[in-house]
Each structure stands twice: as structure tokens, then as C-alpha cells.
Amino acid sequence: MKIKFKKDFMWGTATSGPQTEGFMGKKEKNIMDYWFEKNPEDFYSKVGPTLTSDFYSNYEKDVEMMSQIGLNSFRTSIQWTRIYNDVETEEINQNGVQFYRNYFKELKNKNIKLIVNLFHFDMPIKFEKKGGFTNNFVIDKYVSYAKKCFELFGDLVDLWSTFNEPIVPVECCYIYGLFYPKIKNLNYAIQAGYGTILAHSKVVNVFHDLFSNDKNKKISIILNVTPTYPATNEPKDIKSAEIRDMIFNKVFLDACVKGIFSDELVNFLKDNSLLPNYSVHELEIIKKSKIDFLGVNYYQPGRVKEALKENMNSQFPNKWFEEYIWPERRINPYRGWEIHPETIYNIAMNIKNEYDNIPWFISENGIGVENENRFEDSTGFINDQYRIDFVKEHLFWLNKAISEGSNCFGYHMWTFIDCWSWANAYKNRYGLISLNLVNQKRTMKKSALFFKELSLNNSFEYNINEILKTKDL
Ligand code: BGP
């Protein structure tokens, strides 16, 4: 069966500045640069963000490769710590600005649509030490940085985004102690989450004011949506699934697409003494700041059952519901994430039915595999058929939702070249192109060739029976 997408569908890949550029040329450190300096043992094989995939030196050749594998669009992020010599005084780092301008121009020359994100987990360390987005001073600094980016790169960027997965630093840095500064304080985390939404909203409003005469200028946020399924149809399990959905997904979707926080959420936070400090004026800012389109990163769903009563007082929200292991689950064992392509359809229909059918795209989807060189032949070519099958299955369900009216305009894979992944460093490889860490050599994988055909034809051949054969990694 042939699965077809419309002619101008956006096919591309996503990455981020901190995961690809390396430290070279920067005068300021973000939390990852600083954390690695302090505790290299926290990173897989003690590999930090020093070099990453070195786009800083290789961007010309890399953009050429993007074009060769048929990407018609690409997302990266600007590093706050690259465009300033000093994030506090806001003295511009001219080389940093020039780097981004050259890199973006290169993409334009190749006719690759550019989506630029402003923040991908990379808080400048100086501002982290001031409380990050719990502090209004830092929020306003972020707004000022965003304005500067619109001014410096507005002529080259097609679409903008304020944040990638804003819930991740909240969880990893402030709830579960996984990332620096490893704070475990739920009230602090919620204040930071609220501050991030406020920072996003202020930037969206500034953007809309600046470009009020140009309807082609659009801004979004990239959210990791992880729909939640209850273990059974019993009310207690359904209730747990609703709580998880409310605190992971709806909070950001409601605030960014509709400009509101639901009464359910506010009451829940109030009842548990978790309401952040806020003002009525701030709520008005949030209300006004509706995004023009939405980016959805999809990797896995959540599955839960009712938690023990005593766990409801826990400072760790993942204790408010118990994880449920679905007997039919397929899993990527290297990342521990369930593979459930059908969920992409449910996300798409939820956006259609509950979020005004806002234009949206899959801003990340993909699979990271450990020791991927097991699949390499004598010429160095990686046969990653599992990645092709993974993509096909997800695209099948996405296509079905589009045919039922969901307003999805594109699909981006994580990622172009194997990249550095925070504390996991290079443990799992996600790229369409493999990276040799010793000599930085890039080699196309089989999935890169598949992607090229896909974007050229806007279609692919789908045979579910063949796909199931290769499902186990
Ligand atoms: C997303 C992030 C990316 C990337 C990806 C893969 O959550 O936006 O930055 O890292 O996940 O996840 P990981 O690197 O943790 O395996």
C-alpha cells in the first residue's frame, strides 16, 4: 500500500545548538558546560559537550549533506551563551553572531526551511545560579535575548520557537535531581515551570508586536506530548491517568495554545499547596500570547494505574500514579521507551478536537540505539532497517490522522547526525548519518537514503507484515 502526503509537506530533522556545536567560540557557559566541568563522571563514558558533532567547524559540509538527503526543512537552536560575550551585560559575541548568520545563510542557499528555537535546556550558568526561571530578572533577560535574536536573524529564519520541551529542565533539574543543579524541590520546580510559561508568553507577545505587519512571521513552542493510558477502565485508574495528563501535557498545551490554566489544574495545585507565585497581570500576558503553530515531540506514551494512597503526598509526581507495564508493550530497550506508533494518531486527533485544530508538526520522533556499529558492513554503512520501520509505522498513523482532518504540516526526525545527548552523551545513536567520534567522519545510514526517497516522492510503500519482522532490536 502506498502512503501519500501532500506536495508541500515539511520533511526534515531537528537538533539543538548545545548538542551539535561544541564549546568552541563561546565565552559563556550554560548549565551543561558547567556541569561537565564539575562532574564529568555524571556523563556516559565521561563525554561532555566540549566538541559534540562540531557543527561549528563543519556546518558548510553538513548543510550540503542535508541537501543531499532531501531535507526541505531543519530545526536547530541558538545558544544564549554563544551570542553574548557576557549574558549579564549583553555584550555581543560578534563571532557567535556571524557563525549563526553564515550557517543560516547556507541553509537558505540550499532552500532548506529554517526553524529556530531559542532555548533547548541550556540556561546560562550565571542565570541558573540566580534561580533560572523562578526569578523575574532572568525571565526578562530571556525576553531581551529573544528580541536580540529576532533583530539579528529575523531576515533568515522562517519559523521560530521559544522553548523545546519546557518540562524537561523542570523535572530533571528541580524534581528528580537528574541534571545540574540537582535540586529536589517540587514548589521550586513548579515556580520554574510557571516562570518558563511566562517567559514564553512574554516573548510571543513581543514577537507579535514586532511583526504585526507580517503575517508570514510565526512563532511556536515545542512540547513533548506523552498521552496517558489508564491500565484499566476502572475509575481509580482513569483518575490517575487524568492527573498525569494534566500535569505533563495539558498544562503546557492549555497555556500555550489557549492562554489558560484549567480550573482542574489550579484546584489541584491549591489543594496540594503547590500554587506558584503569580499575578493577575501575568495571567493576562499569558492569555494574550497564543502561538501561531505547535511543535510536538513524540517518543512514547505513558501508562498508569492507581498509586498507593500514602504516595499522593510525595514530592515526586511520578509517585502520584503507578507506572503500568502493558503486557503487549514493545520497547526500545536502550532508552527504555515504549514504541507505540498509534499514539501519534491520538495526539493528532486531540489537537484537532481539543486545540482548535491549530497547524502543527511533529518536531521530533526517532529511535536511539546503542552499539549501532553492530549493524555496520565492511564499508562502514549502517543498515538501520529498524529506524526505517519505526518511521514508517509512525507515518502510517500520522497520515491517517491527516486524512481525518488533523492540521499537521510536517515531520521532523531526531536527528540528522548522531549527536551528543546530555547525560547519555553518545550512548544511543539517533542519526540518519553516523558520526565517528574519533575522526568526526560522517557516513550516511540506510535510513538517510530512505528519507531522501520519502521527501522526494512524498510517499512510501507500507507493508505491515514486513515491518513486524524487524520490530525487535
Ligand atoms: C528530546 C530532546 C532532545 C534529544 C531527544 C532524545 O527529549 O529534545 O534534545 O536529546 O529527546 O533523547 P535522549 O537524548 O535523552 O535519548
Side-chain angles (χ1 to χ4, degrees):
M1 151 172 50
K2 196 169 239 165
I3 306 292
K4 290 190 189 140
F5 287 81
K6 61 176 188 233
K7 216 168 152 238
D8 55 352
F9 202 69
M10 216 171 72
W11 298 108
T13 60
T15 194
S16 76
Q19 289 174 273
T20 51
E21 292 165 13
F23 189 76
M24 207 189 299
K26 291 206 306 177
K27 296 278 188 308
E28 283 281 27
K29 291 182 185 128
N30 62 40
I31 52 168
M32 296 289 164
D33 302 321
Y34 180 79
W35 179 23
F36 179 64
E37 217 173 71
K38 260 176 82 97
N39 301 105
E41 68 283 1
D42 284 353
F43 295 78
Y44 186 80
S45 292
K46 294 192 187 162
V47 176
T50 329
L51 187 62
T52 63
S53 27
D54 198 15
F55 265 52
Y56 190 74
S57 321
N58 275 300
Y59 70 89
E60 279 168 289
K61 283 190 213 134
D62 288 340
V63 171
E64 172 63 39
M65 240 179 167
M66 287 179 202
S67 176
Q68 279 170 18
I69 66 165
L71 305 192
N72 63 22
S73 49
F74 175 69
R75 166 169 66 109
T76 189
S77 69
I78 292 173
Q79 294 196 64
W80 194 346
T81 48
R82 185 180 289 291
I83 71 152
Y84 293 122
N85 283 331
D86 181 328
V87 290
E88 276 173 317
T89 64
E90 300 183 341
E91 182 198 308
I92 291 287
N93 173 345
Q94 296 296 352
N95 291 337
V97 170
Q98 203 49 53
F99 160 69
Y100 285 121
R101 285 203 61 85
N102 294 345
Y103 176 14
F104 296 170
K105 270 188 203 156
E106 207 61 36
L107 286 154
K108 296 278 90 185
N109 292 341
K110 297 280 182 220
N111 251 328
I112 296 173
K113 194 176 227 180
L114 172 62
I115 299 161
V116 166
N117 176 40
L118 293 166
F119 189 98
H120 200 123
F121 312 166
D122 55 335
M123 178 65 81
I125 188 63
K126 284 181 183 162
F127 293 153
E128 186 64 48
K129 288 186 172 174
K130 291 186 190 299
F133 290 119
T134 66
N135 183 342
N136 281 325
F137 168 80
V138 175
I139 294 176
D140 289 339
K141 281 292 191 190
Y142 171 74
V143 177
S144 170
Y145 150 70
K147 265 191 199 157
K148 190 42 87 186
C149 290
F150 300 148
E151 188 186 308
L152 291 168
F153 311 111
D155 57 327
L156 298 171
V157 176
D158 295 293
L159 298 169
W160 290 91
S161 157
T162 54
F163 285 91
N164 176 80
E165 302 189 351
I167 201 169
V168 169
V170 172
E171 288 188 310
C172 295
C173 301
Y174 310 133
I175 301 182
Y176 301 112
L178 301 170
F179 289 0
Y180 185 85
K182 299 187 182 175
I183 292 169
K184 293 185 183 172
N185 180 329
L186 190 53
N187 286 84
Y188 187 92
I190 289 174
Q191 192 66 51
Y194 172 75
T196 309
I197 291 174
L198 182 60
H200 154 84
S201 294
K202 285 187 167 185
V203 167
V204 169
N205 291 342
V206 162
F207 183 88
H208 283 148
D209 286 347
L210 268 176
F211 298 113
S212 58
N213 291 328
D214 188 348
K215 290 285 162 247
N216 289 324
K217 297 276 180 200
K218 293 190 173 137
I219 192 157
S220 68
I221 189 164
I222 308 273
L223 301 178
N224 47 329
V225 181
T226 59
T228 317
Y229 302 112
T232 69
N233 279 333
E234 287 185 41
K236 56 186 176 55
D237 291 337
I238 292 177
K239 180 83 205 141
S240 292
E242 282 170 356
I243 294 177
R244 186 186 179 279
D245 230 30
M246 176 174 77
I247 61 170
F248 276 107
N249 301 316
K250 284 191 184 157
V251 52
F252 289 101
L253 282 167
D254 283 355
C256 302
V257 182
K258 298 180 177 171
I260 57 162
F261 296 106
S262 69
D263 290 344
E264 267 182 295
L265 174 72
V266 173
N267 292 334
F268 179 85
L269 294 176
K270 236 188 232 163
D271 292 347
N272 291 287
S273 308
L274 290 170
L275 262 192
N277 293 323
Y278 68 96
S279 72
V280 173
H281 174 61
E282 288 168 358
L283 295 184
E284 279 162 9
I285 293 174
I286 293 169
K287 188 157 197 169
K288 194 181 155 209
S289 68
K290 293 175 194 155
I291 47 175
D292 304 311
F293 69 101
L294 173 69
V296 172
N297 292 354
Y298 173 64
Y299 290 95
Q300 54 163 350
R303 294 188 191 272
V304 298
K305 57 186 181 186
E306 188 193 31
L308 296 172
K309 284 260 168 334
E310 61 263 33
N311 284 352
M312 289 312 291
N313 293 326
S314 170
Q315 281 285 298
F316 301 108
N318 63 359
K319 298 269 184 233
W320 301 345
F321 26 81
E322 201 170 308
E323 197 195 343
Y324 169 66
I325 312 278
W326 185 39
E328 290 167 49
R329 139 177 126 153
R330 286 157 58 191
I331 194 156
N332 169 2
Y334 313 106
R335 194 60 182 84
W337 286 347
E338 180 179 337
I339 299 174
H340 193 254
E342 198 175 335
T343 294
I344 224 169
Y345 169 84
N346 295 337
I347 292 174
M349 297 316 278
N350 185 47
I351 295 172
K352 178 182 175 218
N353 298 327
E354 303 296 327
Y355 292 97
D356 310 327
N357 208 11
I358 186 172
W360 70 284
F361 77 116
I362 287 287
S363 39
E364 279 183 34
N365 180 230
I367 183 163
V369 174
E370 202 171 343
N371 297 326
E372 216 183 16
N373 48 10
R374 296 164 284 145
F375 302 102
E376 196 175 293
D377 69 15
S378 55
T379 67
F381 181 73
I382 293 181
N383 182 343
D384 56 344
Q385 187 61 39
Y386 40 84
R387 183 165 288 111
I388 298 171
D389 287 350
F390 178 97
V391 172
K392 282 185 173 179
E393 279 194 275
H394 284 80
L395 285 178
F396 168 82
W397 287 104
L398 183 64
N399 187 269
K400 179 170 158 60
I402 295 171
S403 71
E404 291 175 27
S406 187
N407 203 357
C408 174
F409 61 86
Y411 175 84
H412 275 194
M413 281 192 71
W414 188 269
T415 189
F416 170 54
I417 296 179
D418 292 336
C419 71
W420 180 81
S421 266
W422 323 113
N424 270 343
Y426 284 95
K427 175 177 172 286
N428 300 318
R429 302 300 184 106
Y430 283 86
L432 295 174
I433 300 201
S434 76
L435 175 74
N436 180 324
L437 275 186
V438 178
N439 57 16
Q440 286 277 324
K441 186 167 179 250
R442 281 93 158 119
T443 312
M444 284 186 203
K445 300 181 194 174
K446 189 174 180 187
S447 56
L449 305 179
F450 164 77
F451 206 83
K452 183 176 181 164
E453 289 297 304
L454 175 68
S455 79
L456 191 73
N457 302 322
N458 286 305
S459 68
F460 65 93
E461 244 349 284
Y462 188 61
N463 181 342
I464 187 72
N465 296 326
E466 274 179 18
I467 279 171
L468 288 178
K469 278 184 222 153
T470 54
K471 78 177 171 148
D472 296 315
L473 291 171

